[in-house]
Amino acid sequence: MRVDRIRLLNFKCYEEAELGLERGVTVVHGVNGSGKSTLLEAVFFALYGSKALDDRTLDDVITTGEDESEVELWFTHDGREYHIERHLKLRGDRATTAKCVLETPTETIEGARDVRREVTELLRMDAEAFVNCAYVRQGEVNKLIHASPSDRQDMIDDLLQLGALETYRERASDARLGVKTVLDGQQEVLEDLHKQVEHKEGKELHERLNGLESRQNDVREEIDRFETQREQARNTLESAENVLERHAETREEITTLETAIEELRSKITETERKRKDANDEIRDLEDRREELAVEREELLAETDLEAGDDDAVETRIADLEARDDELQDDLNEIRVSVTETTSEIERCREAADELESKAEAAREQADDLDAKLEADAEAIEDREAKLEALEAEITAARERFDDAPIAFGEAAEHRDSLETEREALTDEIGDVTADIRTVENAIDEGERLLEEGKCPECGQPVADSPHVDVLDDKREELAELDDRREDLEVKRDELDDRLDRAEELREAERQVDRLEENRENIEQLLAEKRETLAERRDQCEQLREDAETYATDAEDERATADDLEDEVADYRAELGAINTDRGEIKDTLESLRRIAAVGDERDDLAGEIETLRDRRQDWQTMNDERRETLSNKRERKRDLESEFDEDRIETARNDKQNAENYLEQVDAKLEDLESKHDNLQNAIGAAERELEELEELRERLEGVEKRCERLESLYDEAETLQATYADLRAELRQQNVETLERLLNETFELVYQNDSYAAIDLDGEYRLTVYQKDGETLEPEQLSGGERALFNLSLRCAIYRLLAEGVEGTAPLPPLILDEPTVFLDSGHVTQLVSLVESMRDLGVEQIVVVSHDEELVGAADSLVRIEKDATSNRSRLERGEPPQAELLASD
Ligand SMILES: Nc1ncnc2c1ncn2[C@@H]1O[C@H](COP(=O)(O)OP(=O)(O)OP(=O)(O)O)[C@@H](O)[C@H]1O
Ligand SMILES: [Zn+2]
């Protein structure tokens, strides 16, 4: 087997690292704490998982601060390739295996336990065997030598898988002891059973049973004898009791008969009395019947019936009742008519009342209208007077135009033209006044200038006054203007007068308009009033006519009511007549019904009399029968009395007493015998049971004897097996020891060829003895530290080879892994170690991995791996080195 490649992720001091390993010797070097041991541990862990961690736990291998870790290992074994992958996960503060897979060329195995089992099988080593031979951990170089012989024996036995044989031998021993315990128990049981059987056999059970049975037969016979006698006594008692019973019964019957006789006699007397009473009653009833016959004759005489028989009476009653019914119907009819007519009368009178009140109302309404008509006529007169006055006013207003310059209706236009004229005139006066003022100013200026001697017109000094006449012209012009204004002002005053007049006329026109409108209104109102008046007159007339009609109608209604009143009187007379007739019929019916009732009663009485006679006859018969019975019972009584016999009774009494006494005694005796019999029966039962028990005991005894035999043979087998395992182990160990001794001497010779040691002896208890060349012997502990280390390595290598070559034939050897094996070695011994390593390679160990600083070892390596630790990240790094060279070693 050899490791091809390993990959780590967050494994202890490695963050991410991958390393391929070659065949041959690989030396791993680096400073302390750089992670060399960790790399070897990783290989071990990849193969065996938690079993590779001793007392540490999974979380120790996960890099501090990380929560997952991965290890992958690729290896070749027996020409086939394998791959193991393990993932660890931190959950809380505990790590678990999240993934564990082993891929083999044929299958994929999952789960830590199955993977480990498969690896153990492949390498033929479990984890413990692996660290005891293939992987020599730091500081464990001397492990095997330092162990006590028995520990060493265990260790090596386990390595050689002889430990299992010891376990089997112990198991066989346990089994043997177990069988022994059971066997001892069974033998005790067997002894006990023997004792029980002997004890029971000593009791002579069969003889006892026979004696008991013959005694029981004797008792049985005696019981039979007493039972026969008891039966006889019982018979005697029975017949005596029968006689006494019969006697008692007879007496009882006589008493019963006496009572019956007495009863019969009193019943006969009673019935006779009843017969007499009935006879009296019949007589009374006949008297009553006679009285009723007389009454009927008298009543019949009062009627006009010729034949006085019941049928004629019934027929007459029926006729009269029919007649009465007819009358009743008539009566009802008339009553209905009376009611109807009476209500008709009432209706007529109410109608008359209503009509009269309507007439009254119409008249009152007409009177009211008359009053209104008068008022209307007055109002019309007033209006007519008003109209006349208005007419006069209008005429007066119009007359004012007679001497006017204009016609009626032109006043407004006229006034407007006058106003226009006046405005023009006023403007003209304004113009003239302005001219006058201008001229006056010019005159004043001229006079002032003139006084100063200047031209009044141009202001130039005037010496020779060429301009004076201009002033005069101005004065003339002013006078003309004044005149003109005066004229204009007169005209304006005139115009003002004419305007006033025009205004007056305009006012007259307006007045006429208003008055005429007023007149029109009044005329219209007047027309309306007149129309209303005419209407009211018609209405009034109509109302008076209506009143007349209502009054006439009312009178008619009253006349009708009076007529009906007469009719009702007639009806009432008729009613009286009918009631009288019905009264007579009622009386007649009453006496007729009495006649019928009397007839019925007489018939009833006849029936009653008949019944009584029959009953008397029945009683007669009954009493005859009773007398017959009575005489029978008397005879029977006499017979019974004659049967009575005192001697017989006395004998019976004595017999009974004797029998009872005997029975009492015999029962006690029999009881006694029965209990004796039962006791004997019980004793017999007990004896029989004991016999059965004896039989059972014998059967059990036989069974236990057989079991003991089987157990004994089992015990022998276990003993043999135990011995066999012990022999087998001794034999195998002897074989192994011989091989081991040979291999050990071979390797030892390789290492100590030139030294003073000759050979090593390994005995059956794995005791080691070293022979010096001079024949002296040494304990391994007596060797120097370095020698011990080499010696131990030799021993391990020997075991390693033995295991690999094995009992089952050669298997590919796993890599030999040595962690710091040179610690105790000086350079000479290192040389020996180198030759040991090389010899191992020659022996066919494909791969050897050594952690060491030693130059010589490094020099012997086929390849180098250098490990460095990054000072800042504190993570380890792997580096492949070239085959050893001086420079590399110098730098180490
Ligand atoms: N779980 C972990 N996480 C991180 N670092 C760890 C963990 N466990 C151990 N280490 C560190 O790994 C480093 C490597 O230790 P290792 O024993 O492999 O070193 P070495 O090279 O064999 O040293 P020496 O030459 O002294 O034997 C140590 O410094 C240790 O502190
Ligand atoms: Zn002038």
Side-chain angles (χ1 to χ4, degrees):
M1 180 262 194
R2 75 166 187 273
V3 174
D4 294 321
R5 194 144 59 93
I6 182 156
R7 184 185 72 83
L8 304 176
L9 178 74
N10 296 333
F11 191 90
K12 289 199 169 181
C13 53
Y14 290 92
E15 185 172 15
E16 261 197 291
E18 193 160 346
L19 177 70
L21 283 172
E22 308 290 328
R23 289 165 193 270
V25 179
T26 300
V27 171
V28 180
H29 67 113
V31 296
N32 290 125
S34 57
K36 303 184 292 291
S37 303
T38 305
L39 181 64
L40 303 184
E41 270 172 31
V43 173
F44 187 29
F45 177 75
L47 289 169
Y48 292 100
S50 60
K51 281 280 186 279
L53 297 179
D54 288 340
D55 49 359
R56 285 167 302 153
T57 51
L58 287 176
D59 45 285
D60 286 328
V61 306
I62 301 178
T63 306
T64 314
E66 298 293 334
D67 51 13
E68 273 184 89
S69 177
E70 294 179 18
V71 181
E72 266 184 283
L73 182 77
W74 289 262
F75 65 93
T76 309
H77 184 75
D78 210 4
R80 295 157 192 253
E81 290 183 345
Y82 296 83
H83 171 230
I84 294 184
E85 187 171 358
R86 288 178 192 269
H87 289 198
L88 302 180
K89 254 206 174 73
L90 205 56
R91 291 209 173 79
D93 52 0
R94 264 176 53 84
T96 55
T97 303
K99 179 180 181 183
C100 179
V101 179
L102 167 64
E103 284 169 35
T104 76
T106 48
E107 57 181 334
T108 301
I109 295 159
E110 277 181 67
R113 185 193 297 255
D114 289 348
V115 168
R116 188 166 55 243
R117 191 180 302 144
E118 185 68 18
V119 169
T120 304
E121 199 139 298
L122 266 179
L123 303 189
R124 292 195 194 157
M125 290 181 191
D126 59 9
E128 203 183 353
F130 195 80
V131 282
N132 277 333
C133 57
Y135 175 26
V136 181
R137 286 191 289 198
Q138 203 172 345
E140 288 184 356
V141 171
N142 292 329
K143 199 173 165 191
L144 274 176
I145 295 183
H146 282 163
S148 71
S150 84
D151 281 349
R152 183 161 53 223
Q153 188 176 327
D154 284 351
M155 250 186 267
I156 297 172
D157 270 356
D158 277 349
L159 282 176
L160 302 178
Q161 291 174 348
L162 300 183
L165 287 176
E166 177 58 9
T167 314
Y168 296 152
R169 192 189 64 80
E170 275 164 16
R171 272 189 214 154
S173 164
D174 288 348
R176 181 180 59 86
L177 291 175
V179 171
K180 177 85 176 105
T181 315
V182 178
L183 182 62
D184 289 349
Q186 287 299 308
Q187 272 165 349
E188 258 172 49
V189 173
L190 193 64
E191 207 164 299
D192 186 45
L193 283 173
H194 271 302
K195 273 189 201 142
Q196 283 184 48
V197 169
E198 260 167 44
H199 174 70
K200 285 229 189 298
E201 280 170 350
K203 282 186 182 173
E204 296 188 327
L205 289 168
H206 282 292
E207 289 79 347
R208 232 171 92 194
L209 190 62
N210 287 341
L212 286 170
E213 275 170 354
S214 83
R215 271 168 65 200
Q216 196 190 28
N217 274 342
D218 293 350
V219 174
R220 183 74 257 161
E221 271 167 27
E222 207 173 341
I223 288 172
D224 286 350
R225 193 162 48 79
F226 276 113
E227 274 177 348
T228 317
Q229 282 178 8
R230 185 170 68 178
E231 197 50 40
Q232 283 168 0
R234 276 187 185 145
N235 287 342
T236 312
L237 183 63
E238 200 181 333
S239 49
E241 272 171 352
N242 279 344
V243 169
L244 290 173
E245 208 172 297
R246 174 82 196 120
H247 177 223
E249 276 170 9
T250 310
R251 285 197 62 86
E252 207 170 298
E253 196 180 341
I254 288 168
T255 316
T256 314
L257 280 169
E258 278 168 352
T259 318
I261 288 163
E262 198 46 49
E263 259 172 34
L264 275 169
R265 276 179 56 202
S266 76
K267 266 187 193 156
I268 289 165
T269 318
E270 171 69 16
T271 307
E272 279 305 323
R273 194 184 49 69
K274 276 203 238 168
R275 280 190 74 220
K276 190 179 168 298
D277 288 353
N279 209 22
D280 292 351
E281 204 179 334
I282 287 168
R283 214 162 295 135
D284 287 352
L285 289 173
E286 276 170 348
D287 289 353
R288 170 78 185 137
R289 249 193 119 222
E290 199 47 43
E291 275 169 28
L292 286 171
V294 173
E295 189 187 343
R296 190 167 181 272
E297 275 318 306
E298 280 168 8
L299 284 169
L300 264 179
E302 279 170 28
T303 67
D304 55 353
L305 280 173
E306 283 167 18
D309 62 318
D310 288 350
D311 281 352
V313 171
E314 287 301 330
T315 314
R316 175 57 64 86
I317 286 171
D319 288 352
L320 284 174
E321 277 173 351
R323 174 72 190 133
D324 191 50
D325 285 350
E326 271 168 33
L327 287 173
Q328 173 79 50
D329 290 348
D330 289 353
L331 202 64
N332 288 344
E333 237 167 73
I334 293 167
R335 276 192 190 129
V336 169
S337 302
V338 167
T339 314
E340 280 171 4
T341 315
T342 312
S343 70
E344 179 62 13
I345 291 166
E346 220 163 89
R347 192 200 57 73
C348 286
R349 290 203 171 123
E350 272 168 19
D353 287 351
E354 207 177 294
L355 285 166
E356 276 165 4
S357 68
K358 265 174 152 180
E360 185 61 25
R363 273 184 213 113
E364 271 171 24
Q365 226 178 320
D367 290 350
D368 285 354
L369 279 175
D370 273 348
K372 275 191 191 145
L373 279 173
E374 239 163 77
D376 282 352
E378 266 170 38
I380 287 168
E381 266 169 42
D382 280 358
R383 293 259 156 77
E384 279 168 349
K386 245 187 213 166
L387 207 55
E388 249 166 68
L390 272 175
E391 202 69 56
E393 259 182 86
I394 290 166
T395 313
R398 276 187 184 272
E399 272 169 7
R400 291 173 66 181
F401 281 84
D402 289 353
D403 56 351
I406 51 162
F408 185 83
E410 291 169 352
E413 206 181 315
H414 178 56
R415 190 196 55 194
D416 289 349
S417 81
L418 284 178
E419 259 168 9
T420 315
E421 214 175 310
R422 195 180 178 275
E423 261 167 49
L425 207 54
T426 308
D427 288 350
E428 212 178 335
I429 290 170
D431 291 347
V432 171
T433 306
D435 289 348
I436 287 172
R437 209 155 287 149
T438 313
V439 173
E440 275 173 354
N441 286 343
I443 291 170
D444 285 350
E445 182 69 11
E447 280 173 354
R448 191 183 54 85
L449 284 170
L450 208 56
E451 255 168 62
E452 288 173 8
K454 290 177 184 171
C455 175
E457 192 154 8
C458 60
Q460 299 298 317
V462 273
D464 45 6
S465 173
H467 304 294
V468 176
D469 52 331
V470 174
L471 202 59
D472 291 338
D473 288 350
K474 293 272 178 200
R475 279 184 190 122
E476 227 170 275
E477 195 183 345
L478 182 64
E480 261 173 51
L481 283 168
D482 277 337
D483 287 349
R484 183 127 179 256
R485 187 164 71 173
E486 217 164 290
D487 282 351
L488 286 170
E489 276 169 354
V490 172
K491 263 190 191 166
R492 189 179 64 183
D493 289 345
E494 260 175 36
L495 210 52
D496 279 344
D497 287 346
R498 282 170 65 194
L499 257 173
D500 285 348
R501 175 102 172 102
E503 195 56 51
E504 267 170 48
L505 285 173
R506 173 75 194 125
E507 188 51 39
E509 265 179 11
R510 282 203 198 98
Q511 195 187 2
V512 169
D513 284 348
R514 270 197 311 273
L515 288 171
E516 276 176 355
E517 201 181 271
N518 215 351
R519 186 182 59 186
E520 214 167 290
N521 285 340
I522 290 172
E523 273 170 354
Q524 204 174 332
L525 277 173
L526 204 56
E528 280 168 15
K529 273 280 174 203
R530 281 192 188 117
E531 210 172 302
T532 316
L533 189 68
E535 270 171 25
R536 281 199 174 138
R537 276 205 183 106
D538 290 350
Q539 215 179 337
C540 199
E541 232 161 85
Q542 184 62 48
L543 281 168
R544 287 197 203 284
E545 257 171 52
D546 287 353
E548 266 328 289
T549 315
Y550 289 144
T552 319
D553 287 355
E555 262 165 48
D556 288 353
E557 290 286 357
R558 286 202 196 283
T560 312
D562 291 346
D563 289 353
L564 290 171
E565 221 36 290
D566 293 348
E567 233 173 87
V568 169
D570 289 351
Y571 284 139
R572 290 200 194 285
E574 234 174 293
L575 279 177
I578 290 170
N579 276 332
T580 315
D581 281 0
R582 289 190 74 209
E584 277 163 20
I585 288 169
K586 196 183 163 204
D587 290 348
T588 315
L589 268 175
E590 240 164 58
S591 57
L592 283 172
R593 282 186 188 125
R594 177 64 195 151
I595 290 166
V598 168
D600 288 348
E601 201 181 333
R602 287 194 73 233
D603 291 348
D604 288 351
L605 287 172
E608 238 174 281
I609 290 163
E610 193 55 41
T611 313
L612 282 170
R613 286 206 174 110
D614 287 352
R615 206 176 291 162
R616 283 192 76 235
Q617 189 51 50
D618 289 348
W619 281 332
Q620 173 82 54
T621 318
M622 210 188 288
N623 264 354
D624 287 350
E625 280 165 12
R626 278 180 187 143
R627 284 186 187 106
E628 175 84 39
T629 315
L630 190 62
S631 80
N632 284 346
K633 288 207 185 288
R634 280 182 178 141
E635 200 162 322
R636 171 74 181 150
K637 193 186 162 211
R638 271 194 299 280
D639 288 353
L640 285 173
E641 276 166 353
S642 71
E643 203 185 316
F644 213 87
D645 181 354
E646 259 321 306
D647 286 352
R648 212 179 138 200
I649 297 304
E650 193 53 42
T651 317
R653 277 192 188 123
N654 288 339
D655 285 356
K656 186 175 175 246
Q657 190 57 50
N658 291 339
E660 276 171 354
N661 290 344
Y662 179 77
L663 280 172
E664 222 167 89
Q665 284 162 14
V666 87
D667 277 348
K669 180 71 187 164
L670 271 171
E671 225 168 86
D672 189 33
L673 286 170
E674 285 292 355
S675 94
K676 249 187 214 164
H677 183 262
D678 287 351
N679 287 343
L680 284 168
Q681 184 61 49
N682 287 345
I684 289 165
E688 279 169 351
R689 266 195 302 285
E690 261 191 290
L691 277 169
E692 270 166 33
E693 277 168 18
L694 181 60
E695 208 47 48
E696 263 172 45
L697 281 171
R698 281 180 183 139
E699 269 169 32
R700 272 178 65 199
L701 192 67
E702 214 168 290
V704 174
E705 272 168 355
K706 276 193 191 135
R707 198 173 307 153
C708 282
E709 271 165 37
R710 279 203 304 276
L711 285 168
E712 272 158 11
S713 86
L714 200 58
Y715 180 81
D716 292 346
E717 276 167 32
E719 207 166 36
T720 317
L721 195 61
Q722 187 187 349
T724 311
Y725 279 131
D727 294 348
L728 189 61
R729 186 176 64 148
E731 204 173 299
L732 283 175
R733 190 190 278 165
Q734 194 51 46
Q735 266 180 29
N736 282 326
V737 164
E738 279 163 18
T739 318
L740 198 57
E741 192 175 36
R742 180 173 55 77
L743 293 173
L744 180 59
N745 278 305
E746 270 176 35
T747 30
F748 189 71
E749 208 182 306
L750 283 172
V751 177
Y752 283 99
Q753 276 164 352
N754 304 315
D755 279 289
S756 47
Y757 302 110
I760 301 167
D761 178 68
L762 181 66
D763 73 5
E765 262 68 51
Y766 300 114
R767 226 189 318 277
L768 287 160
T769 317
V770 181
Y771 287 89
Q772 292 178 322
K773 288 224 166 107
D774 55 13
E776 292 296 314
T777 59
L778 274 179
E779 290 291 306
E781 285 85 5
Q782 289 173 298
L783 297 172
S784 81
E787 286 170 341
R788 263 204 310 269
L790 273 177
F791 182 86
N792 188 55
L793 278 173
S794 307
L795 180 56
R796 280 175 184 251
C797 287
I799 296 172
Y800 176 80
R801 282 174 59 196
L802 175 63
L803 272 186
E805 286 170 17
V807 199
E808 299 167 34
T810 315
L813 293 166
L816 183 64
I817 303 171
L818 306 173
D819 193 350
E820 303 272 19
T822 57
V823 184
F824 302 102
L825 302 184
D826 56 26
S827 60
H829 284 98
V830 171
T831 309
Q832 284 165 332
L833 176 67
V834 170
S835 58
L836 175 69
V837 166
E838 271 169 357
S839 70
M840 290 305 281
R841 184 165 52 181
D842 296 343
L843 284 167
V845 181
E846 268 188 290
Q847 208 170 34
I848 300 171
V849 182
V850 189
V851 167
S852 178
H853 305 277
D854 196 276
E855 276 178 43
E856 203 178 345
L857 264 177
V858 171
D862 298 313
S863 55
L864 274 180
V865 174
R866 179 180 166 77
I867 302 187
E868 265 176 14
K869 206 167 187 188
D870 187 312
T872 43
S873 71
N874 213 28
R875 292 285 169 263
S876 302
R877 198 150 42 78
L878 295 165
E879 218 171 71
R880 297 243 30 147
E882 287 305 306
Q885 282 168 13
E887 309 90 81
L888 260 171
L889 294 174
S891 72
D892 199 14

